[in-house]
């Protein structure tokens, strides 16, 4: 069957319109064309591999299954050659002359049931090829089908209304696509630019890719392999390559799912949090792939914000590779992926916490703050996250963690709330005045050391229907402990507190006898329910309004403490001295609470007191 050459064809009727969409608006970046053509080459090789299983008579059978890209910056061309299945004249017309026809889809149908599972075929929508016209003045497709009786052919078009097909001699099997670049797209004829694009999008294509003779893809798409067959070193190598990690990952989750979406994911937790080290806020860095081809290296909504420390890959066959990533349709899909992956990762953390508690605690020390952020802000996952939170407490040893769940099991029947204290470290909380009353009553208090903790505890609000309550909040009511011997009598106590309120004036909202003090003489409690000392400090640090509003505290005094008994005696016998003493006591309480802003007056007074010892 010989056809006069060249033969001219008109593109299918809708083609101009459709080409216009593809060229001008479907893709956000021009460089995508190379990803699409390499994906097509990979599909063509995959098809050949299938064909080889059943057909003996294959044209040019000795050729390697590989993809060769060459650039020529003088001629301003880029060429993508594969030794795949190639195309006959009819196939050229069908596959490249009809926009909505996807040969890959037809191929899948042809090889029958079960073929849908063949994730090695990238194409699905039959428009990727036309992305070449975003950058091309003209596109030539040299091809020879795997069928031995067929001629070599060249298809050519400038992407406007028509194309030609002509026979050529000496054509190897497969397809060679030569793109003559538009004047404003000549950068794609440079080796470095092509390298950058190939490495970004096509690093995991399963057939060897060379660029100007040099091999591009050397690392495998391990996420698609069975996890029992992947070696530790391979995971680490992949992590270093794909996530640009310099460390060894401390946790790894490799999983696949079929329903409700097809997902292959490989997620890593790095050793250290750079954000914790004070470096910039992390960007999402779990990359989105579709059948080994990169769709988006830093997809924003693939995972919730608080999982921004994760690295790795999510690959979903359900993603339409050819559809622009900003469309609404994609958004719903991304949300679905987000839900499935987040749920799976939380389950993974739960298992780690249960089965490898030490490893989990190492993780928590570094990344716990992200879980707290999630517990405070991500309403959907709050319940699961709260269970993962870890705290030291007045009942744990230094450096040992407990959970809210365990705390609740230790609560006495009369205890209604979960108590916590925020402070810079264990020693400062333990030596502060707030803890002793709780200790005397055998009430456990959780210790929080991070500045976000107050905010987190406020947002989490309750656990197991028990309110989370700051042990330094003024409205905490504690049960009576038996009055110790030698306390000031009730009437004297009333006189003393009244005198102290008059003496200290505006600096205190209230002075009263304390039921929570055991060893300390006085204690300052926050009079402002809505602004804890920690919050006030934070706002001050951030120069926020309210940070330096005049501070008023409730002062509680310990009726059993020797200092207060002495103060009671002095307030009538030596009122001047007693006044100095009362002021100093207030400042001492403020220092313990971390609330004394300016120590100048305090130091002057203290010197005066020392003079009279
Ligand atoms: P898709 O890849 O989604 O099917 P494309 O527009 O990218 O759509 O390609 C259209 C069709 O052209 C492919 O399905 C395939 O049949 C054919 N084709 C494209 N490139 C090649 C190639 N390098 N070798 C053989 N056939 C190809
Ligand atoms: Mg394609």
């Amino acid at each position: 069957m010989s056809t006069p050459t060249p033969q001219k064809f008109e593109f299918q009727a809708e083609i101009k319109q459709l080409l216009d969409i593809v060229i001008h608006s479907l893709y956000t970046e021009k460089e995508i064309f190379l990803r699409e053509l390499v994906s097509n080459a990979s599909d063509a090789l995959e098809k050949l591999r299938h064909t080889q299983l059943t057909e003996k008579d294959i044209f040019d059978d000795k050729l390697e299954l590989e993809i060769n890209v060459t650039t020529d910056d003088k001629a301003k061309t880029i060429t993508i050659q594969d030794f795949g299945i190639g195309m006959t004249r009819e196939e050229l017309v069908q596959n490249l002359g009809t926009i909505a026809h996807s040969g890959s889809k037809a191929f899948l149908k042809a090889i029958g049931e079960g073929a849908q599972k063949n994730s090695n075929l990238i194409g699905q929508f039959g428009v990727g090829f036309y992305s070449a016209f975003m950058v091309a003045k003209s596109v030539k497709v040299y091809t020879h089908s795997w069928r031995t009786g067929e001629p070599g052919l060249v298809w050519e078009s400038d992407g406007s209304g028509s194309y030609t097909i002509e026979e050529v001699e000496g054509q190897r099997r497969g397809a060679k696509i030569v793109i003559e670049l538009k004047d404003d797209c000549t950068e794609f004829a440079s080796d470095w630019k092509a390298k950058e694009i190939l490495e970004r999008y096509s690093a995991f294509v399963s057939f060897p890719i060379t660029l100007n003779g040099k091999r591009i893809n050397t690392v495998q798409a391990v996420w698609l392999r069975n996890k029992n067959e992947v070696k530790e070193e391979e995971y680490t190598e992949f992590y270093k390559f794909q996530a640009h990690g310099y460390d060894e990952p401390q946790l790894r989750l490799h999983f696949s799912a079929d329903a409700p979406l097809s997902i292959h994911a490989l997620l890593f937790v790095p050793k250290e949090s750079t954000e914790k080290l004070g470096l910039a806020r992390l960007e999402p860095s779990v990359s989105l792939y579709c059948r080994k081809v990169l769709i988006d290296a830093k997809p924003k909504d693939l995972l919730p914000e608080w999982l921004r420390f994760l690295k790795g890959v999510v690959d979903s066959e359900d993603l339409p590779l050819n559809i622009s990533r900003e469309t609404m349709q994609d958004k719903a899909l991304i949300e679905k992926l987000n839900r499935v992956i987040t749920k799976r990762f939380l389950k993974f953390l739960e298992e780690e916490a249960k089965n490898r508690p030490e490893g989990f605690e190492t993780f928590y020390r570094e990344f716990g703050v992200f879980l707290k952020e999630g517990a405070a802000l991500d309403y959907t996952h709050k319940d699961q996250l709260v269970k993962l939170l870890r705290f030291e407490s007045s009942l744990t040893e230094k450096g040992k963690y407990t959970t809210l769940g365990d705390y609740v099991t230790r609560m006495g029947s009369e205890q209604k709330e979960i108590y916590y204290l925020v402070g810079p470290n264990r020693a400062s909380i333990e030596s502060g005045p707030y803890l002793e009353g709780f200790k005397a009553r055998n009430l456990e208090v959780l210790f929080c050391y991070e500045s976000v903790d107050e905010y987190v505890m406020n947002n989490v609000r309750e656990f197991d229907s028990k309110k989370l309550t700051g042990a330094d909040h003024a409205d905490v009511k504690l049960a009576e402990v038996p009055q110790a011997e030698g306390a000031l009598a009730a009437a004297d106590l009333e006189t003393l507190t009244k005198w102290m309120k008059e003496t200290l004036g505006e600096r205190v909202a209230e002075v009263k006898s304390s039921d929570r003090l055991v060893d300390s003489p006085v204690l300052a409690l926050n009079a402002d329910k809505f602004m804890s000392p920690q919050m006030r400090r934070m706002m001050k640090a951030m120069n926020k309004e309210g940070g330096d509003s005049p501070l008023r505290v409730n002062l509680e005094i310990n009726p059993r403490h020797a200092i207060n008994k002495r103060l009671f005696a002095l307030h009538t016998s030596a009122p001047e001295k007693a006044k100095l003493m009362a002021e100093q006591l207030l400042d001492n309480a403020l220092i313990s609470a971390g609330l004394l802003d300016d120590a100048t007056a305090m130091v002057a007074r203290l010197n005066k007191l020392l003079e009279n010892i």
Side-chain angles (χ1 to χ4, degrees):
M1 181 183 83
S2 89
T3 324
T5 54
Q7 198 182 2
K8 192 171 171 184
F9 298 82
E10 289 298 311
F11 276 120
Q12 199 188 16
E14 317 92 309
I15 215 149
K16 269 206 174 141
Q17 216 180 343
L18 223 46
L19 258 172
D20 199 57
I21 296 173
V22 173
I23 296 171
H24 298 295
S25 56
L26 187 61
Y27 298 103
T28 40
E29 280 157 76
K30 285 200 164 104
E31 64 188 32
I32 291 294
F33 85 92
L34 190 50
R35 174 187 86 178
E36 294 300 325
L37 296 182
V38 168
S39 299
N40 283 351
S42 169
D43 284 350
L45 288 164
E46 186 64 28
K47 288 174 198 167
L48 185 83
R49 190 147 71 182
H50 263 271
T51 308
Q52 278 174 328
L53 298 177
T54 51
E55 303 285 339
K56 278 194 203 73
D57 194 14
I58 290 194
F59 180 72
D60 230 349
D61 204 15
K62 294 287 166 302
L63 282 174
E64 294 289 330
L65 299 191
E66 61 181 32
I67 302 166
N68 299 317
V69 180
T70 46
T71 54
D72 184 337
D73 54 4
K74 299 234 165 47
K76 305 196 173 37
T77 59
I78 179 166
T79 302
I80 298 96
Q81 176 163 35
D82 67 71
F83 299 129
I85 199 168
M87 280 175 275
T88 63
R89 184 183 298 265
E90 287 68 34
E91 285 164 344
L92 277 173
V93 173
Q94 258 207 334
N95 298 339
L96 304 186
T98 323
I99 263 191
H101 177 89
S102 168
S104 295
K105 217 172 203 169
F107 179 80
L108 280 175
K109 259 218 188 92
I111 61 173
E113 281 294 300
Q116 291 293 343
K117 283 260 157 266
N118 187 347
S119 60
N120 293 325
L121 292 173
I122 304 165
Q124 256 183 322
F125 286 84
V127 291
F129 172 77
Y130 295 96
S131 64
F133 289 104
M134 291 191 292
V135 299
K137 264 184 196 162
S138 84
V139 176
K140 291 198 183 87
V141 181
Y142 295 88
T143 184
H144 193 297
S145 164
W146 66 272
R147 295 173 196 274
T148 42
E150 295 290 329
L153 297 164
V154 55
W155 177 103
E156 182 176 1
S157 177
D158 63 1
S160 51
S162 62
Y163 59 92
T164 59
I165 297 178
E166 198 173 345
E167 282 189 18
V168 284
E169 289 300 314
Q171 191 52 45
R172 308 299 309 256
R173 187 194 69 227
K176 183 171 82 178
I177 294 155
V178 182
I179 293 176
E180 189 193 338
L181 293 159
K182 286 182 186 165
D183 294 339
D184 60 345
C185 297
T186 53
E187 54 172 341
F188 299 115
S190 70
D191 180 80
W192 72 266
K193 185 71 186 174
K195 182 163 185 272
E196 188 188 278
I197 304 170
L198 289 170
E199 282 178 347
R200 173 154 353 128
Y201 293 100
S202 309
F204 299 109
V205 166
S206 21
F207 298 97
I209 302 174
T210 65
L211 172 63
N212 298 323
K214 284 205 204 73
R215 180 73 187 263
I216 291 287
N217 53 342
T218 51
V219 177
Q220 281 192 9
V222 286
W223 67 86
L224 292 179
R225 287 168 56 193
N226 185 329
K227 67 178 169 191
N228 302 323
E229 287 156 17
V230 184
K231 294 200 203 79
E232 275 309 305
E233 311 88 79
E234 289 179 292
Y235 278 125
T236 309
E237 182 198 17
F238 175 80
Y239 171 76
K240 292 192 170 162
F241 176 81
Q242 194 273 332
H244 310 292
Y246 298 107
D247 51 355
E248 308 259 315
Q250 61 163 309
L251 293 177
R252 175 183 76 227
L253 172 61
H254 184 179
F255 76 94
S256 299
D258 284 329
L261 285 170
S262 128
I263 296 175
H264 299 275
L266 178 52
L267 306 174
F268 296 99
V269 176
K271 185 154 266 147
E272 284 180 340
S273 158
T274 52
E275 209 171 289
K276 192 177 163 210
L277 290 172
L279 298 182
R281 185 181 167 86
L282 290 163
E283 287 190 334
S285 43
V286 173
S287 305
L288 187 60
Y289 283 73
C290 172
R291 300 159 197 246
K292 301 185 196 172
V293 175
L294 181 72
I295 304 295
D296 191 348
K298 297 178 181 303
K300 270 217 159 45
D301 302 314
L302 180 61
L303 293 172
E305 274 281 293
W306 56 270
L307 277 176
R308 62 186 178 278
F309 60 92
L310 283 182
K311 303 201 180 293
V313 166
V314 168
D315 191 321
S316 175
E317 292 164 28
D318 295 331
L319 286 170
L321 178 65
N322 304 53
I323 301 301
S324 160
R325 34 190 134 129
E326 276 116 79
T327 60
M328 287 308 288
Q329 185 188 354
D330 271 5
K331 225 173 157 192
L333 202 63
I334 296 284
E335 275 166 19
K336 239 192 236 169
L337 281 171
N338 182 321
R339 248 176 287 141
V340 176
I341 301 163
T342 307
K343 221 169 106 191
R344 186 64 186 77
F345 186 72
L346 280 167
K347 191 174 140 225
F348 166 72
L349 287 183
E350 277 161 23
E351 286 163 2
E352 287 295 305
K354 198 165 132 228
N355 303 330
R356 279 171 290 278
E358 275 182 27
F360 178 77
E361 286 178 9
T362 309
F363 157 77
Y364 191 85
R365 269 173 240 286
E366 200 63 22
F367 294 96
V369 65
F370 292 94
L371 302 189
K372 288 180 190 169
E373 181 185 319
L377 299 172
D378 182 351
Y379 195 76
T380 320
H381 302 108
K382 176 183 160 181
D383 288 349
Q384 271 174 292
L385 280 163
V386 167
K387 289 190 192 135
L388 291 171
L389 298 185
R390 296 291 185 270
F391 303 90
E392 284 189 32
S393 89
S394 52
L395 295 186
T396 68
E397 285 166 44
K398 184 178 162 66
K400 291 269 181 315
Y401 281 136
T402 187
T403 63
L404 286 166
D406 287 344
Y407 180 106
V408 169
T409 63
R410 289 189 290 264
M411 281 169 69
S413 56
E414 66 296 337
Q415 187 180 346
K416 298 284 177 286
E417 302 184 328
I418 296 171
Y419 300 110
Y420 66 89
L421 276 171
V422 184
N425 52 47
R426 186 170 183 107
S428 86
I429 293 177
E430 281 184 329
S431 62
Y434 300 100
L435 188 61
E436 49 196 52
F438 291 83
K439 270 193 152 164
R441 290 167 182 80
N442 272 326
L443 295 171
E444 182 172 6
V445 178
L446 298 173
F447 294 172
C448 305
Y449 306 137
E450 277 166 315
S451 50
V452 295
D453 284 333
E454 181 75 35
Y455 175 76
V456 172
M457 295 308 244
N458 272 333
N459 269 31
V460 173
R461 298 225 352 226
E462 56 171 44
F463 175 79
D464 198 11
S465 316
K466 290 163 188 75
K467 207 171 153 248
L468 299 175
T469 304
D472 54 355
H473 290 197
D475 53 0
V476 173
K477 295 275 172 295
L478 295 177
E480 291 285 321
V481 271
Q483 271 297 338
E485 291 286 300
L488 282 168
D492 295 350
L493 197 56
E494 205 185 317
T495 317
L496 180 63
T497 50
K498 223 174 130 212
W499 173 83
M500 280 180 88
K501 168 67 187 127
E502 279 159 19
T503 309
L504 296 170
E506 280 307 300
R507 295 185 68 201
V508 292
E510 193 187 356
V511 181
K512 63 174 192 176
S513 168
S514 175
D515 50 15
R516 67 180 102 199
L517 285 171
V518 179
D519 298 317
S520 304
V522 286
L523 164 73
L525 285 167
N526 191 20
D528 187 349
K529 246 196 222 164
F530 302 104
M531 182 140 48
S532 69
Q534 289 74 26
M535 218 110 106
R536 191 168 178 277
R537 264 201 304 268
M538 250 167 67
M539 291 173 83
K540 215 178 150 79
M542 298 187 304
N543 259 324
K544 281 261 169 68
E545 213 175 304
D548 32 64
S549 58
L551 174 73
R552 268 156 60 98
V553 294
N554 290 338
L555 193 67
E556 294 195 0
I557 66 172
N558 180 349
R560 295 166 293 278
H561 203 283
I563 291 185
N564 293 323
K565 290 193 230 165
R566 184 158 155 71
L567 184 61
F568 177 70
L570 284 178
H571 94 279
T572 42
S573 65
E576 276 310 303
K577 225 184 218 173
K579 181 165 185 273
L580 285 179
M581 211 169 143
E583 282 169 347
Q584 187 61 39
L585 276 173
L586 171 59
D587 279 356
N588 289 354
L590 292 176
I591 291 169
S592 291
L595 290 172
L596 190 75
D597 298 329
D598 182 0
T600 331
M602 192 275 286
V603 171
R605 178 188 327 109
L606 198 56
N607 286 334
K608 210 163 172 185
L609 280 166
L610 290 173
E611 262 174 39
N612 293 324
I613 274 180

